[in-house]
Amino acid sequence: MDTTTRPETVVGTDPRPAVPGLLTAVHLVDILAPGMEGLARWLAEAGADVTGSIPEATQTSPVVAALEAAGVRVHVGFDAGHVRTDRTAVVWSGVVAGSHPELDRAQVLRLPVIGRAVALKALSVQAGAGAVAVAGSRSTTTAAAALAHVLDDGRTGWVLTAPARDGAAGHAGDGDRVVVDLCPDAGTHEAAPPGAWQHRPAPHFLTTEPKFAAALILATSANAPHFEDNIAGLNAAERLARNAAVVVLPTWDTSTANLRERLGDRPVPDQRVVTVGTDPASTVWIMTPRWTGTDFRVVLRYQKTDHAFVLPVAGRHHALAVCAAIATALVLGEDPQAVAERAASFRGVERSLAPVGSQRGVAVVDSRARHPREVAQDVEAARMLTDGSLLVVLEPDGIARTSEHAAELGAALKGVDHALLLPVSTPLVHHTVPDPLDAVEQAARRKLGDGKVQRARSGPCEPGPEQLIGELAAEGDLVLVVGTGQAERLGARLLSHLAAPGAPIPQHL
C-alpha cells in the first residue's frame, strides 16, 4: 500500500479512450465501496492519475492488489492528507455517514466533489457515439456485465457495478466503445440526503448530456430511495432513452411498456426502439429458455434468422438478462457467431446467484439482490438448485429502502424452508425511525409461519448467524445468502463453521 508521494503520472498525449478533463487526476473516496472499483480501473487504464482510499480492515482484499496492478495508488484509512491540491476532482459513492475527512478536505480546497453517477456521465460524454448504457430502476447488474462480455472484442471498455465471475469491473479497452452500468443501486445513498453539498458538483460540468449509441433499459418501476414511485423511475428512464440512437426494452417487465408508449407518442427522430422478450411479436424473440441443470439453452430469432446460445448462468431471470444483452449486441450489428462464442463463457456476476462452495453436503450460494423483486427471483431460482431444504439468510439493504419495501421483502421469502434475518445494512450509526426489520419479520412470518423465521441478535452471548444456520442445515440442503454488507463474508464463514463447528473462524473471513 502506497502512503508516500510519488512523481506524478504523465498522461499520454493520446490516451484511448480519452479521459474527461475533470477526471485526469482524481481521488476516489473508499474505492472499495459499491460501484467504485470499475470506475477506478477504467480511469487508470485510460491514462488518468488515480488515487483512492480504503478502510484499514480491507487492505488484504485481492481487489486492492488488482487495483494497484492496474495503476491505482491505494491509501489505507481515511485521512485529509490523501486529498492533494493537484487533484482535478474527488469522487465518492454516497456510502458515507456524517462528516468525512477526505470530503471535507476537498471542500476546503474547492475541488469538485462529484458522485459516481456524475463521473459515469463524464466518461459517457467523452465516449460520444461509442457509449452504450445499461440502465433502469433495478436489475441491471447481470445485463451490464453480460453486454460487456459479449461485446468484448479487445477494443470495448466497460464500467460495471459488479464484475463478471473471474472478470474485471472496469476496463478501458483501446477503442471508442464503452459499456456503462448506470444502475442507481451502486450504494445505499441514505447518509447524505439529496441537496447536501456533497451531491453538488461543479455546475459547468453538467451542461452536456451524453449521447448513447444504445440504451438497454431493464425496468422503470419504483425503487426507494432512488425512485420514490413508478413515475419517478419512468421519468428518469425517458430522459436517458431520448438521448440514445437505439433503445432496447425487455417485455417481461411490464413497467417498460409505459416507456415504450411515451417514446411512441413523442418519437425521437431517427431513433430505433427495439423490444426483446418471449412474445413472438418482439423485435428479438426469445424462444422458451430450457434449463439443463447446468446451463440454459435458448434460441433468439432476429430479422427472421434463428441464433442458438448456451448460457451457463443459474436462474431464468438471469438468463433473460443475458438474452437482453445479446439482443442489444445483435441490434448493434455484432456478428452472431462471435456473440454466441462469448456468451458461452459468461458465467454470471460475482455474488449474483454464485456458488460459494459446500461442506458436509450443504451447498452455499451468494446473492447480491437488493430490491424485493430481485430477492424473490433469486429465491425462486435457488429452489431449482436443490432437492433438499432451502435456507435463506437475508440482510436487507438500507434503512430507507427497507422501510419502504419491508412488506415486499418479507413476502419475497415465500416458499423457503427457513429464513434468518440479519440486521439492516446501513452506514448510519444512529437513526430515529423504527427498525424496519420488525416489519420484514412480520411479513415473512405471515408467508412462512412463526417457526420458519428467525432473527440474528447481536451481543457477546448471542450465537453468530453461521452458528444459527449450521444448526439447521443438513446434508442435501442449500443456503442462499442475500445481502451486500456483512453478508458478503458470511458464505465463507458458514463453510468454515460447517467444516469445523467447534473451531474459531479464521480472522480473515
Side-chain angles (χ1 to χ4, degrees), residues 97-115:
S99 61
H100 192 286
E102 295 179 0
L103 293 176
D104 294 343
R105 175 63 173 168
Q107 187 182 34
V108 170
L109 296 177
R110 298 184 180 276
L111 296 174
V113 176
I114 63 176

Side-chain angles (χ1 to χ4, degrees), residues 106-186:
Q107 187 182 34
V108 170
L109 296 177
R110 298 184 180 276
L111 296 174
V113 176
I114 63 176
R116 171 183 172 274
V118 176
L120 294 181
K121 173 183 172 181
L123 64 89
S124 297
V125 169
Q126 192 72 37
V132 180
V134 180
S137 56
R138 57 174 174 79
S139 304
T140 68
T141 305
T142 296
L147 184 55
H149 194 88
V150 299
L151 292 180
D152 186 11
D153 54 1
R155 296 178 56 78
T156 298
W158 58 81
V159 181
L160 306 175
T161 300
R165 290 171 61 187
D166 304 321
H171 173 59
D174 60 2
D176 296 327
R177 188 163 63 186
V178 58
V179 177
V180 181
D181 184 357
L182 299 180
C183 174
D185 285 30

Side-chain angles (χ1 to χ4, degrees), residues 291 293-294 296 314-316 353 377-388 390 478:
W291 172 245
T294 56
F296 279 90
R316 187 175 186 273
L353 214 60
Q377 289 174 324
D378 272 6
V379 167
E380 182 181 353
R383 171 61 76 186
M384 302 295 293
L385 299 177
T386 180
D387 293 326
L390 174 61
L478 185 145

Side-chain angles (χ1 to χ4, degrees), residues 302-486:
Y302 175 58
Q303 294 182 337
K304 300 181 179 180
T305 302
D306 293 352
H307 307 283
F309 299 90
V310 177
L311 311 179
V313 297
R316 187 175 186 273
H317 59 300
H318 289 302
L320 290 176
V322 177
C323 287
I326 291 172
T328 305
L330 295 178
V331 171
L332 287 173
E334 290 295 303
D335 175 54
Q337 184 60 39
V339 171
E341 292 174 358
R342 295 168 189 158
S345 63
F346 177 74
R347 300 189 301 119
V349 174
E350 292 285 355
R351 296 203 67 252
S352 188
L353 214 60
V356 181
S358 62
Q359 283 287 352
R360 289 168 44 196
V362 177
V364 180
V365 174
D366 261 342
S367 165
R368 60 170 59 250
R370 295 168 179 262
H371 190 275
R373 180 59 178 158
E374 298 169 347
V375 174
Q377 289 174 324
D378 272 6
V379 167
E380 182 181 353
R383 171 61 76 186
M384 302 295 293
L385 299 177
T386 180
D387 293 326
S389 295
L390 174 61
L391 295 78
V392 175
V393 182
L394 173 64
E395 179 188 38
D397 174 64
I399 298 296
R401 184 199 303 276
T402 307
S403 298
E404 183 67 24
H405 297 295
E408 298 168 86
L409 279 170
L413 301 175
K414 177 183 178 181
V416 310
D417 295 290
H418 195 92
L420 176 64
L421 304 179
L422 303 186
V424 176
S425 176
T426 176
L428 300 176
V429 178
H430 304 288
H431 56 84
T432 58
V433 300
D435 186 350
L437 194 63
D438 294 339
V440 177
E441 182 179 8
Q442 292 171 9
R445 290 185 185 280
R446 284 194 294 270
K447 289 293 182 181
L448 305 180
D450 291 343
K452 293 186 176 182
V453 181
Q454 193 172 2
R455 191 162 166 173
R457 307 285 181 178
S458 59
C461 298
E462 297 288 345
E466 58 277 348
Q467 294 172 285
L468 294 172
I469 289 294
E471 293 173 357
L472 295 167
E475 184 176 355
D477 292 349
L478 185 145
V479 179
L480 178 67
V481 180
V482 184
T484 56
Q486 66 167 310

Side-chain angles (χ1 to χ4, degrees), residues 30-56:
D30 194 355
I31 206 167
L32 297 185
M36 296 289 275
E37 176 196 351
L39 176 61
R41 290 185 66 124
W42 187 94
L43 287 170
E45 291 183 14
D49 177 6
V50 184
T51 63
S53 55
I54 61 171
E56 292 184 11

